[in-house]
């Protein structure tokens, strides 16, 4: 069986991945808070964990992986948006969830197997909180339920800090009812104008962290394989998830492997809503950047390295993908090559895997031109194209769903009609000078021209330059 190695934030080591049950490999990834469009930084964990999902499905079988990603649909940012806009919370969260799915599908992410909404699991959260109060890990104070960090000896282990360091370094909310400033909210009271549910502590709503503990327990069990998210969530969110889950289910180990993606940055700072230095996935798509290009750019940097989005990277990715799509047109995927699978198995080395795709495309270009070149013993074009397609598909690239953009960005039909009409009259007059002039100009603009008795086919080539078309008609 193929060996997958992953860098586990819990041990800070690259470890061999051993699933609890190879027939049901289980992964949980923290999803978005749904009050606004996702910015492109939010797409990074989605793409990274989509590659891991595809790899796990490749290694263990499609039906042997369960991927859960939640929607946080109860949150003070959502409440504020509802108050500011006068719209209902349901309307805002439904709309934002749909946007999110549309945008993430546009960058080639498969839907996770389960996408629970926090509000569907309030009962499970209340049960878990009750258990934590009973076992002394949580206490009730002024209508709030708080988790007592001192009750859990391993608190801070994931992020490698002591409780004292955290107090010194964090902007903690000092509330008189907290026994320790690091204690965090499991449940809080809701006023009548805010969403609330009946609970043993009165009408209220959950704190942010408890939902992931409750939903992962309900859907994946008390121990599962992989937990993922951006490294900005490591503290406090993931630290708190561990504390809640391990205290509520002391027999379980919660997640065995923790994976964290690094941040997408803008001039050295994390792209985030609060800093205002963001643009959305939808902005890029609307500007004509294909989703496949966005995906490629992300995959060209290893997930554990910070990265910037630049227009230059997008241009290069676009040219590569366009070339690959043209070269593989008409061929079908077969099996991914060993080197690509191995690169992904080595802690998702997508950068290296893309390098292997470059090599395959060079080989394909060469064998497609074999008629013109000397003899060699390389495989037939359909074999190489089959490898390239299947290997790219494993990264979620060159899939049929993400295609179409490579030819649809320019409409050359009026040029084709014009060239055909010129050709028809030239057949009678026997003067082909105008036909030749237009053909030369089109070729000069990087258009591929195919003429026959029945019609003219034009397609933008790799060096297509639309500005050179001006004045040709
Ligand atoms: P949020 O809705 O802010 O909780 O974020 C949803 C997901 O996006 C989480 O996994 C975050 O870690 C991740 N995330 C947020 N900002 C960035 C960024 N600039 N780069 C990469 N991941 C991010
Ligand atoms: Zn979470």
């Amino acid at each position: 069986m193929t060996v997958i190695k992953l860098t586990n934030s819990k041990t800070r080591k690259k470890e061999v991945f051993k699933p609890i049950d190879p027939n049901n490999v289980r992964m949980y990834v923290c999803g978005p808070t749904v009050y606004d469009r996702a910015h492109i930084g939010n797409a990074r964990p989605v793409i990274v964990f989509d590659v891991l999902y595809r790899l796990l499905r490749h290694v263990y079988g499609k039906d042997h992986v369960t991927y859960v990603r939640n929607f946080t649909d109860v949150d003070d940012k959502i409440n504020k948006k509802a108050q500011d806009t006068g719209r209902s919370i349901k309307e805002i969260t439904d709309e934002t969830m749909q946007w999110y799915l549309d945008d993430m599908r546009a960058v080639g992410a498969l839907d996770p197997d389960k996408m629970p909404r926090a509000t569907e699991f309030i009962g499970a959260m209340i049960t878990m909180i009750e258990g934590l109060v009973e076992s002394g890990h949580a206490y009730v104070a002024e209508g709030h339920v708080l988790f007592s960090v001192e009750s859990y000896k391993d608190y801070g282990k994931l992020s490698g800090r002591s409780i004292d360091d955290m107090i010194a370094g964090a902007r903690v909310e000092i509330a008189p009812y907290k026994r320790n400033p690091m204690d965090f909210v499991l449940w809080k009271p809701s006023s009548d104008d805010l969403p609330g549910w009946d609970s043993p502590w009165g009408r209220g709503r959950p704190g942010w962290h408890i939902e992931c503990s409750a939903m992962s327990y309900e859907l994946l069990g008390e121990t599962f394989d992989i937990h993922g998210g951006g490294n900005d969530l490591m503290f406090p969110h993931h630290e708190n998830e561990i504390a809640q889950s391990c205290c509520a289910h002391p027999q379980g180990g919660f997640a065995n492997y923790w994976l964290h993606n690094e941040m997408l940055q803008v001039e050295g700072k994390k792209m985030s809503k609060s800093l205002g230095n963001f643009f959305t996935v939808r902005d890029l798509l609307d500007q004509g950047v294909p989703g496949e290009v966005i995906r490629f750019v992300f995959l060209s940097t290893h997930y554990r390295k910070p990265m910037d989005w630049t227009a230059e990277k997008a241009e290069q990715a676009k040219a590569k993908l366009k070339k690959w799509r043209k070269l593989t047109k008409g061929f079908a995927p077969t099996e991914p090559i060993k080197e690509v699978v191995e690169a992904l198995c080595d802690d998702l080395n997508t950068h290296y895997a893309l390098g292997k795709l470059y090599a395959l495309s060079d080989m394909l270009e060469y064998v497609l031109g074999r008629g013109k070149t000397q003899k060699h013993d390389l495989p037939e074009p359909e074999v190489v194209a089959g490898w390239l397609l299947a290997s790219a598909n494993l990264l979620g690239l060159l899939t049929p769903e993400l295609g179409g953009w490579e030819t649809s960005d320019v409409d050359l039909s009026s040029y084709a009609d014009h060239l055909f009409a010129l050709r028809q009259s030239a057949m009678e007059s026997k003067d082909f000078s105008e036909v030749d002039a237009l053909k030369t100009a089109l070729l000069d603009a990087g258009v591929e021209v195919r003429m026959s008795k029945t019609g003219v086919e034009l397609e933008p080539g790799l060096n297509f330059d639309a500005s050179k078309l001006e004045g040709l008609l």
Side-chain angles (χ1 to χ4, degrees), residues 252-270:
F254 197 35
N256 284 344
Y257 301 83
W258 282 82
L259 260 73
H260 289 100
N261 64 275
E262 250 293 351
M263 293 293 103
L264 179 84
Q265 302 187 332
V266 182
E267 287 162 8
K269 288 208 176 72
K270 171 189 167 189

Side-chain angles (χ1 to χ4, degrees), residues 335-360:
E335 278 297 310
I337 58 166
K338 196 165 130 259
E339 290 88 338
V340 167
V341 178
E342 281 173 359
L344 296 183
C345 284
D346 182 17
D347 199 24
L348 303 183
N349 196 340
T350 52
H351 175 79
Y352 193 78
L354 286 177
K356 293 291 160 192
L357 300 190
Y358 293 162
L360 274 180

Side-chain angles (χ1 to χ4, degrees), residues 30-33 39 41-42 44-45 208 229-233 261-265 270-272:
C30 297
T33 305
H39 63 64
N42 299 131
R44 192 170 190 194
W208 167 32
N231 68 354
D232 56 334
L233 298 184
N261 64 275
E262 250 293 351
M263 293 293 103
L264 179 84
Q265 302 187 332
K270 171 189 167 189
M271 176 179 280
S272 74

Side-chain angles (χ1 to χ4, degrees), residues 28 30 70 212 227 237-238 241:
Y28 185 94
C30 297
N70 66 306
C212 291
H227 192 312
H237 183 56
H238 290 162
E241 282 188 32

Side-chain angles (χ1 to χ4, degrees), residues 134-150:
E134 261 164 46
S135 57
H137 291 290
Y139 57 93
V140 185
E142 296 181 26
H144 292 68
V145 187
L146 293 134
F147 185 92
S148 163
V149 294
E150 280 163 30

